[in-house]
Amino acid sequence: SFSNDASATGIGTIDSIGSVSTEAGFSIISYTGTGSSGTIAHGLGATPSWFFVKNRDDGDAAGFTNGNWIVYHQSLSTNQFMKLETNDAVFTNSDAFGGAPSSTTIQLGTFNSTNGSGDSMICYAFAEKEGYSKFGSYDDSVVGSDYENTSPFVYTGFRVGWLMIKGTSAGRDWVIYDNKRTPDNGV
C-alpha cells in the first residue's frame, strides 16, 4: 500500500492513498477531489493504459451512488471517455481529464465525476505487463455477416484469460470473455 502526500513528495498535486502491485500493473487509488485540475500518484512505475474513476459521494438521499464509472483508455484522446455501466458512445468533455497520464501521475480535470470538490473518489489503474496484460483497440469495420470467419485478429503475445471489449459507437455493449466460464477456443 502507499500514501502520497503530494506536497511532501512532489508527486502529483492531490494527496492519495492506495494499494499497488507493480508486478501485476494494477493500483487502487483513493483521493478527495478538489474540483480543480490536478494530478494523483498511481504508484505503477509505468504509464497506465486504462483506468476508471468513480465519485463515491455522488448519490441520492438513501446513500445509493448514482455517479458513473468514468473510463479512460489510451486509444481515446484525453478529452474523451466512456462510462462503464452504459452502452453509450464515447463522450467528449475536456474537463474529465487534464491530459494524458504519465509514469507517475494521472491527470484530472474539474469534472465532478473524476474530481468532485470535497468528494471521496476511487480510481483503478492498469499498466501493460508483457505476457500478462495488454490494452489496445482495433477497427471492426472489416467484420462481415460471417463473424466467425472475418473477425479481426489482435496479437497480444500471450494466451488471453480475460478479455473486455467495448465498441466506441452508441448501442455497443461492454462484453467480457474469460477462459473459466467458457474455456473453449471460441473465447
Side-chain angles (χ1 to χ4, degrees):
S1 68
F2 70 91
S3 178
N4 183 59
D5 178 345
S7 61
T9 65
I11 302 172
T13 60
I14 300 171
D15 295 343
S16 57
I17 59 170
S19 295
V20 63
S21 170
T22 55
E23 288 181 9
F26 173 62
S27 67
I28 303 170
I29 309 139
S30 179
Y31 61 98
T32 300
T34 64
S36 300
S37 295
T39 55
I40 55 170
H42 53 68
L44 293 169
T47 303
S49 300
W50 181 53
F51 60 85
F52 42 100
V53 178
K54 182 167 181 59
N55 183 327
R56 296 187 286 182
D57 287 338
D58 276 355
D60 60 18
F64 295 102
T65 56
N66 296 328
N68 290 296
W69 286 95
I70 305 301
V71 179
Y72 165 88
H73 190 275
Q74 66 184 6
S75 66
L76 301 174
S77 72
T78 56
N79 68 342
Q80 293 180 312
F81 64 90
M82 294 181 285
K83 293 179 181 177
L84 192 58
E85 49 291 274
T86 74
N87 66 358
D88 295 331
V90 169
F91 291 87
T92 300
N93 182 326
S94 59
D95 294 331
F97 307 112
S102 74
S103 62
T104 56
T105 63
I106 291 173
Q107 293 195 36
L108 303 169
T110 59
F111 194 44
N112 188 65
S113 294
T114 57
N115 194 14
S117 181
D119 292 345
S120 176
M121 312 296 294
I122 192 80
C123 175
Y124 295 85
F126 301 83
E128 285 189 2
K129 289 295 175 180
E130 187 174 342
Y132 183 75
S133 62
K134 183 81 173 163
F135 303 90
S137 63
Y138 64 91
D139 181 357
D140 73 348
S141 64
V142 298
V143 176
S145 60
D146 185 9
Y147 190 79
E148 290 293 324
N149 295 320
T150 60
S151 301
F153 175 79
V154 177
Y155 180 75
T156 63
F158 57 91
R159 185 178 173 102
V160 175
W162 185 87
L163 174 68
M164 182 180 222
I165 301 171
K166 166 67 170 100
T168 56
S169 59
R172 304 294 295 271
D173 290 326
W174 293 88
V175 180
I176 296 176
Y177 300 100
D178 66 75
N179 63 4
K180 300 299 181 201
R181 294 177 298 166
T182 312
D184 299 327
N185 191 39
V187 172

